[in-house]
Amino acid sequence: MARLNLWRWGVFGLAGLYFLVPLAASVVFTVDVPGQGLTVDAYTQIVGTGGFGSSLLLSLELALATIAVVLLLMVPAMVALRLGAPKLRPVVEVVCSLPLVVPPIAFVAGIVTVLKWGPEHLSRTPLFQTFVAIQNPDFPVVLVLAYAVMALPFVYRALDAGLRAIDVPTLVEAARSCGASWPQALVQAVLPNLRGALLNASFLTLALVLGEFTVAQLLGFRPFAVWIVNVSGSQAQLSVAVSVMSLLVTWLLLLVLAGFGGRSRTTFRG
């Protein structure tokens, strides 16, 4: 047992060094300016840098919209799958895993092809305005749709793990026997028992949207990740400082999520 604990702490120590050493090097790079010594100017300049607030706000709006879309799509579908068609689970799993095997470049190429095809062939139909509206730079809906597809593998795994831990048919049957409708059974009986899974799915989607660069860059939009790369071209220390702060905020969200998940209990609301 002592040898096992020693091995476990050794693995944890190596993992900690693997993550902390690059982070520490990044922090040193941002605060140690040759000829000036230690300074935190790189961090104090972040808020005042042009495009910081608008790009961060855009990414947060895209993340919230993506979380809403993907949860509204996946939660009812997976509950219905577990209740009525459990044999289709492998098919749904394969479909939801496809974004992992499709390269982002190919994915973006397909989106660009569709966006070009629409105006060329639908210019005299009402759908033309739809293609224009989803590419609005103030809030590009096309990015929400793309991110929702990219988040499917992570959301599916998180929700599947949560649904495996509870007896969905019994919960729904009990709620229905108490006079609840199908939507009420889902909201009042199933969702409270999926709080941890919903938080995990939301956090993974948030992390994906905040860190995604390829799709947004190739489609010509400028959320937070693209802003960081653009800033790095002329202000290296500032871009690293923003990346460090983003990483710390992500870790903080993960700790908060872990705290909520640890306090979640399987409950039933009749």
Side-chain angles (χ1 to χ4, degrees):
M1 183 63 67
R3 182 176 299 179
L4 179 61
N5 290 334
L6 181 62
W7 173 256
R8 182 181 303 170
W9 282 109
V11 172
F12 284 152
L14 290 176
L17 290 176
Y18 178 81
F19 288 105
L20 293 178
V21 169
L23 179 61
S26 299
V27 173
V28 171
F29 175 76
T30 58
V31 300
D32 187 11
V33 180
Q36 299 183 16
L38 298 179
T39 177
V40 293
D41 290 344
Y43 294 93
T44 58
Q45 293 174 3
I46 290 177
V47 178
T49 303
F52 169 77
S54 59
S55 62
L56 180 58
L57 180 61
L58 176 60
S59 289
L60 292 177
E61 291 175 347
L62 293 173
L64 292 176
T66 304
I67 290 171
V69 169
V70 75
L71 290 183
L72 288 174
L73 174 68
M74 291 299 296
V75 172
M78 294 192 65
V79 172
L81 185 70
R82 188 162 293 272
L83 289 175
K87 293 183 179 180
L88 292 179
R89 181 180 171 275
V91 178
V92 176
E93 182 176 3
V94 171
V95 172
C96 291
S97 300
L98 286 178
L100 294 177
V101 299
V102 177
I105 298 297
F107 183 51
V108 177
I111 295 176
V112 171
T113 301
V114 173
L115 293 178
K116 289 182 178 179
W117 177 88
E120 291 178 357
H121 296 81
L122 303 175
S123 58
R124 298 182 179 179
T125 67
L127 290 177
F128 174 77
Q129 295 300 326
T130 302
F131 277 86
V132 175
I134 64 175
Q135 300 179 68
N136 185 353
D138 294 333
F139 186 78
V141 178
V142 63
L143 283 185
V144 175
L145 301 177
Y147 292 157
V149 173
M150 297 173 66
L152 283 180
F154 312 106
V155 174
Y156 174 84
R157 291 297 181 184
L159 295 179
D160 184 63
L163 289 171
R164 284 174 175 269
I166 62 177
D167 190 351
V168 178
T170 301
L171 288 174
V172 173
E173 183 179 354
R176 293 284 292 166
S177 65
C178 293
S181 62
W182 283 106
Q184 289 176 330
L186 175 63
V187 173
Q188 298 181 5
V190 178
L191 291 186
N193 294 280
L194 290 177
R195 186 176 67 172
L198 294 174
L199 288 173
N200 289 334
S202 300
F203 174 79
L204 292 173
T205 304
L206 174 65
L208 182 146
V209 174
L210 290 180
E212 201 287 320
F213 169 79
T214 305
V215 175
Q217 173 70 13
L218 294 180
L219 291 180
F221 301 109
R222 199 187 186 199
F224 192 53
V226 177
W227 177 83
I228 292 177
V229 175
N230 292 338
V231 168
S232 65
S234 58
Q235 305 179 57
Q237 283 189 318
L238 181 63
S239 66
V240 175
V242 172
S243 300
V244 170
M245 289 191 63
S246 301
L247 183 59
L248 293 177
V249 169
T250 303
W251 283 2
L252 178 61
L253 291 174
L254 179 59
L255 292 176
V256 172
L257 177 65
F260 277 107
R263 290 195 297 268
S264 64
R265 297 180 180 178
T266 302
T267 58
F268 169 73
R269 297 181 183 180

